[in-house]
Amino acid sequence: MNDIVSTAALMPSLHPIIGNRVELNLFTTLRCNLKCTYCSESKVVNSQGKPSYSLEALDRFIRTHLDRHEKYVTFYGGEPTLNVEFMEQVMQRYPHFRFQLQTNGTLLHRLPDHLLAKLSNVLVSVDGGEAITDGFRGKGVYRRVVNRVGGIRGKVGGSLTARVTWGSEDTSFEELDELLQTFDYVYWQFVQSDGAYSEEAMAKKKQVLTQLVQRFFASNDTLYPFIPLMGIVRNKVLPSRAIEQCSGHAQCRASTHILNVLPDGSIFPCPDMTDDTGMQHGSVTENWLARSPLQPHPDMPCQSCDAYAFCRGNCMKNLHVAYVRKDDSYRRNVVEPVCELVKFLGEEIDRHDPRGWFARAPLGLRDVIANCEVYEYVEVMP
């Protein structure tokens, strides 16, 4: 296996990583300090502690497989701030890498200032406003997160981004908009949950999407920093950027250049599939790496979809489960409703003439739309 992979590393056309950059999604632990309702049945959470592989093994893996790529690291979990020591060791060992943290935000006060200063982005997981977040994560969690984020503002080297799992049908425009009082950017991903997309829930989500789009285009001079809206506008106005960023492949990084490294050193393409041993495509400890098994497939209908030019495939895990594994229930109850919402969002944006809006916008705003670094740090867009 090692001989085969080493040969592939010398041949760009066969290299497991697609494109010029690679993201190491390093799980500092699979333990967590919260008990969110949607993780209650997870086989992964709390199944592993601290990394058992050595940093020397990580050195060897990077030299063998990733040497020619621009590298950035996302610290992930579980709750990654339960293992600040590992974060410190990695950041000291690879000072030329970029670093991001994805966290539930409740333990941000544990991070020393010198570590915060090296973070290009902090993704903080919330589920909407206070009532909805506390309903999923526990009483008082939302206020604790807001206070912790406030405590590190000005110390983070880069941006602070709210990472919203949009599941509840009661999520309102007002509570999403309010997140901008705490965060520099807001990002959402539609929840991958059976039962979240009833006819009533879809209507409510579309109403909120309409309000968000209206607010985004309300001014030509100021940015409304919602990453999914920014990203779709960019992809519509500057379609080459979407293709460049993902090297012409699916915009979901799970198919191109993200490596999810569990504490035992095993590598998977998607954080949501780390309990499926058949999806493993590498190992730090055994020093091998293969192409991600989450790739575009002829059975996926994306290429014929009108939204593909700005969507670029959305979530490869969703598409794989629905169309390659042929889980018809998941396709009907999760994937097709999400696709419908993405198409609706694109249509709402088109109603506001994004090209005309972009043409009138000042150069600084246009530059953020075209080049916002947070595009690289979120899962899919939209």
Side-chain angles (χ1 to χ4, degrees), residues 210-269:
T210 297
Q211 290 176 282
L212 289 170
V213 172
Q214 289 174 340
R215 175 62 185 82
F216 183 89
F217 288 104
S219 171
N220 278 106
D221 300 321
T222 58
L223 176 68
Y224 191 55
F226 271 69
I227 292 295
L229 305 182
M230 294 167 59
I232 293 178
V233 170
R234 183 203 69 171
N235 289 359
K236 285 179 174 290
V237 174
L238 302 169
S240 64
R241 292 301 175 92
I243 296 171
E244 291 167 2
Q245 187 174 350
C246 59
S247 303
H249 293 258
Q251 201 160 255
C252 177
R253 303 194 308 279
S255 69
T256 54
H257 63 275
I258 188 170
L259 305 178
N260 291 278
V261 184
L262 294 189
D264 64 4
S266 57
I267 297 172
F268 292 81

Side-chain angles (χ1 to χ4, degrees), residues 5 7 14 48 102 164 179 240 245 285 305 322 337 343 347 349 351 368 377:
V5 173
T7 301
L14 298 178
Q48 296 180 34
Q102 182 160 341
V164 180
L179 290 171
S240 64
Q245 187 174 350
T285 54
C305 176
K343 292 175 187 176
E347 292 166 357
I349 286 174
R351 291 179 58 243
V368 175
Y377 296 137

Side-chain angles (χ1 to χ4, degrees), residues 192 273 294 297 299-302 313 315-339:
Q192 301 171 8
M273 305 185 90
L294 289 183
H297 189 277
D299 290 343
M300 297 176 183
C302 302
C315 173
M316 290 303 297
K317 173 250 182 172
N318 276 356
L319 296 171
H320 183 85
V321 172
Y323 298 106
V324 179
R325 295 187 179 177
K326 301 191 183 304
D327 187 328
D328 290 337
S329 176
Y330 191 80
R331 173 180 55 78
R332 290 192 307 271
N333 297 321
V334 177
V335 178
E336 290 179 352
V338 169
C339 288

